[in-house]
Amino acid sequence: MAIVLNNFKEKQRFKKETFERKVLRDLSLATIKKEFQRLFQPFFQYSLLYQNDIEDACIDMAIDSYLLGAGYSRFAYHGETLEKIKERAYAKQKAIADGLFEYWQFWCWGTEMMMESLHLCCEAFVHIWWMEGYKNGEKRYRMKLQ
């Protein structure tokens, strides 16, 4: 099957999708769920009513963060430091974390201190999966598996 690409943007999108498919092979849904339970279980101590809905959203955000980290790993291949790469990705990573927190706010409410803790957990969750994606992508680029 021959694929004909008509322009640069189309080729770029095709390469990105191919890379993401390959990188996602190393991601485990069970690991995401375990990390979700570890970080967010304290927020379900009063009610398990919406846990499945929130868990699904967290899995989606974990995958987004993972792919974002994997995508930014190409800068390490070209010699950039991790600190510079984190600065580059900060706005997108923060947007994912804020989106996750806003979703949580829709389903639960609590004291200001609890909500602040929840926000920190959302940021940590997104950062953990960004780093996992980054490490995996960096490994793939180093081994020329992209």
Side-chain angles (χ1 to χ4, degrees):
M1 179 174 112
I3 297 174
V4 178
L5 300 174
N6 294 328
N7 60 33
F8 179 71
K9 290 275 188 203
E10 203 174 309
K11 181 175 181 173
Q12 202 173 26
R13 184 181 53 78
F14 178 76
K15 283 182 75 173
K16 181 181 177 192
E17 288 173 1
T18 303
F19 175 74
E20 287 178 351
R21 273 195 298 278
K22 289 178 182 178
V23 154
L24 282 174
R25 290 180 189 148
D26 298 331
L27 184 60
S28 164
L29 187 58
T31 308
I32 295 174
K33 287 183 176 188
K34 191 161 73 172
E35 192 65 29
F36 168 79
Q37 291 295 326
R38 187 181 73 80
L39 278 174
F40 294 110
Q41 192 59 45
F43 298 101
F44 290 113
Q45 69 187 25
Y46 300 111
S47 170
L48 297 175
L49 191 59
Y50 304 113
Q51 184 170 352
N52 289 335
D53 295 324
I54 295 172
E55 184 179 38
D56 290 345
C58 286
I59 289 169
D60 288 344
M61 296 298 187
I63 291 170
D64 287 347
S65 300
Y66 184 84
L67 290 174
L68 183 68
Y72 274 88
S73 67
R74 76 178 181 277
F75 296 114
Y77 179 73
H78 295 295
E80 259 186 63
T81 65
L82 179 58
E83 300 310 313
K84 284 276 197 194
I85 296 167
K86 282 183 178 180
E87 285 176 27
R88 258 184 206 253
Y90 178 77
K92 290 182 180 179
Q93 193 175 347
K94 179 143 179 54
I96 293 171
D98 289 346
L100 180 59
F101 178 64
E102 288 171 13
Y103 189 80
W104 266 92
Q105 283 182 312
F106 177 77
W107 290 105
C108 75
W109 48 91
T111 64
E112 187 175 331
M113 183 183 283
M114 185 189 115
M115 296 310 274
E116 190 174 318
S117 297
L118 178 60
H119 193 264
L120 291 174
C121 282
C122 289
E123 287 179 346
F125 186 75
V126 167
H127 181 72
I128 288 167
W129 291 109
W130 186 90
M131 282 303 298
E132 283 296 315
Y134 174 82
K135 288 174 190 173
N136 189 1
E138 185 181 33
K139 179 182 76 176
R140 292 188 74 80
Y141 274 109
R142 233 181 307 119
M143 296 173 71
K144 306 249 190 264
L145 294 174
Q146 74 277 8

